[in-house]
Amino acid sequence: SAEIVRLRQINDQLTQELNKVALARPPGSETLAKGDDQVELAFTVTLTDRRKGYPYQPYRVSGSRVFTLKELLIACGPYLLSESKLSNVKSALNRAIKDKSLEEITEAYPDLEIGTATIQERSLQLVIVQFAALGYIQISTSRDDSGKETRVAVLTSVGRSELVSASAVRRGL
């Protein structure tokens, strides 16, 4: 009937509008750093001198590295495809920092073994706030069986789209 056709058209129109809204960036985000824009992350690396025997003497060295926001999304995004603890974001950033700093630290401290690289809290918060401001992630609080609250995040449709654009393998390459 004509009424069913009319309702289907309205439904299709509303579905299209919802899809546009789902992929729309938050208001004001067009002026924020994103993609190939760079941010500097501060970190601490733990180094160990194993030449002197046990107990090993740990050394802590602070530093910073410049990353593009695209590199950070590629590092964290796969862990956020489904709801994930923010501590997993921190672990992903720690790995990215260690990978990017390994050669330089090894050259600077050839006799020391590299242990952990830990992003400093202010840099971690910068990444989380930037991703939230760009509409890449949605943050919420989850409660486990014991009642403990944990902050969790998941990619939004905008974040998924950006991750796919930045890291998915293209045909023909």
Side-chain angles (χ1 to χ4, degrees):
S1 89
E3 181 64 12
I4 291 174
V5 170
R6 186 180 74 76
L7 290 174
R8 281 187 180 154
Q9 289 173 338
I10 291 171
N11 184 45
D12 290 344
Q13 182 181 9
L14 290 173
T15 300
Q16 287 177 351
E17 288 178 29
L18 278 174
N19 289 337
K20 285 180 188 175
V21 169
L23 289 174
R25 297 186 185 281
S29 66
E30 57 279 348
T31 62
L32 299 176
K34 60 183 165 286
D36 290 326
D37 294 328
Q38 298 180 332
V39 293
E40 186 173 12
L41 302 183
F43 62 90
T44 303
V45 175
T46 303
L47 305 167
T48 305
D49 187 349
R50 296 191 182 268
R51 297 171 301 169
K52 298 177 183 174
Y54 191 80
Y56 304 122
Q57 177 64 43
Y59 299 92
R60 287 181 179 71
V61 177
S62 295
S64 64
R65 284 288 166 277
V66 173
F67 290 85
T68 66
L69 283 157
K70 185 188 298 184
E71 288 175 313
L72 298 176
L73 182 61
I74 290 169
C76 300
Y79 301 97
L80 296 167
L81 287 169
S82 59
E83 191 173 83
S84 182
K85 295 178 189 176
L86 286 179
S87 60
N88 291 337
V89 172
K90 183 176 183 175
S91 296
L93 292 171
N94 289 343
R95 280 189 295 280
I97 287 169
K98 187 174 180 178
D99 290 347
K100 196 166 189 172
S101 306
L102 190 60
E103 187 176 326
E104 186 176 322
I105 292 170
T106 302
E107 287 175 10
Y109 303 95
D111 297 330
L112 301 179
E113 185 177 307
I114 299 173
T116 59
T118 307
I119 188 169
Q120 291 184 4
E121 189 65 24
R122 71 186 186 311
S123 291
L124 174 62
Q125 295 304 322
L126 177 143
V127 173
I128 291 169
V129 168
Q130 192 71 17
F131 283 177
L134 289 168
Y136 291 176
I137 60 173
Q138 180 177 357
I139 299 171
S140 60
T141 303
S142 177
R143 193 179 301 265
D144 66 15
D145 294 337
S146 70
K148 181 182 175 193
E149 288 187 352
T150 305
R151 287 179 46 196
V152 295
V154 65
L155 286 176
T156 62
S157 52
V158 172
R160 253 178 216 271
S161 176
E162 289 293 322
L163 177 62
V164 167
S165 174
S167 64
V169 177
R170 307 270 188 280
R171 286 187 351 196
L173 295 180

